[in-house]
Amino acid sequence: MKINWGTGIVLAFIGFISFIMYFIITLNVNDKYNHDLVTEDYYAEELSYQNDIDKLNNAKNLDKNISYERTDKGLLIVFPKNIDFSKISGNVFLYRPSNKQLDFDTTISLSKPYLLIPDKRLVGGRWNIKVDWQYNNELYLYKEIINY
């Protein structure tokens, strides 16, 4: 049987459409490809973004900003040594882009100049850290993307 050019074009279209349909169905059905928005209330957070910019600028004006270090016990978030750590308050939010069930929020309550996030709470891979903290009525924000 001889295939003419019209039949070849139709077969090419059918093959292309089949490939696209397979791709779309795979992305919609397979949980491995299930990625959610960064936050559920995206527009409300967008309105408060200028506050975050101000907090980031306050943090940049510090002599030394927050740092982090991975230890065998977990993730160590170290606050600046030149400030009184007992007056620090705020939240630490860890966001996992690939799985929102792993996201968690921790209140900052320090007895030492660092905060330890236990290793059992963190799964290997990419994490976004957001430390929203306050010291002497001044607001600060630290954001970092890490691979744990």
Side-chain angles (χ1 to χ4, degrees), residues 28-57:
N28 285 327
V29 173
N30 195 339
D31 286 338
K32 184 172 106 175
Y33 301 113
N34 187 12
H35 298 287
D36 296 321
L37 290 175
V38 173
T39 118
E40 295 293 327
D41 200 6
Y42 178 79
Y43 294 107
E45 268 203 37
E46 186 66 30
L47 294 174
S48 68
Y49 195 66
Q50 183 60 45
N51 293 334
D52 287 353
I53 292 171
D54 295 339
K55 292 177 189 178
L56 284 168
N57 288 333

Side-chain angles (χ1 to χ4, degrees), residues 66-80:
I66 292 176
S67 60
Y68 69 92
E69 175 182 337
R70 183 178 180 180
T71 65
D72 52 347
K73 294 182 180 179
L75 184 67
L76 198 65
I77 299 173
V78 181
F79 289 87

Side-chain angles (χ1 to χ4, degrees), residues 10-25:
V10 169
L11 290 175
F13 275 127
I14 290 172
F16 179 72
I17 291 169
S18 299
F19 169 73
I20 296 297
M21 291 303 294
Y22 167 77
F23 186 68
I24 290 170
I25 291 170

Side-chain angles (χ1 to χ4, degrees), residues 84-131:
D84 184 10
F85 61 85
S86 63
K87 295 181 181 178
I88 296 175
S89 62
N91 294 356
V92 176
F93 178 65
L94 278 97
Y95 166 71
R96 176 74 180 209
S98 62
N99 187 351
K100 76 177 182 180
Q101 279 74 30
L102 296 175
D103 296 354
F104 64 93
D105 202 358
T106 302
T107 303
I108 297 173
S109 176
L110 301 176
S111 58
K112 296 181 180 175
Y114 59 84
L115 177 69
L116 179 66
I117 311 282
D119 191 48
K120 64 182 178 182
R121 300 222 39 203
L122 299 169
V123 176
R126 179 180 172 201
W127 287 90
N128 295 352
I129 300 175
K130 184 177 178 182
V131 182

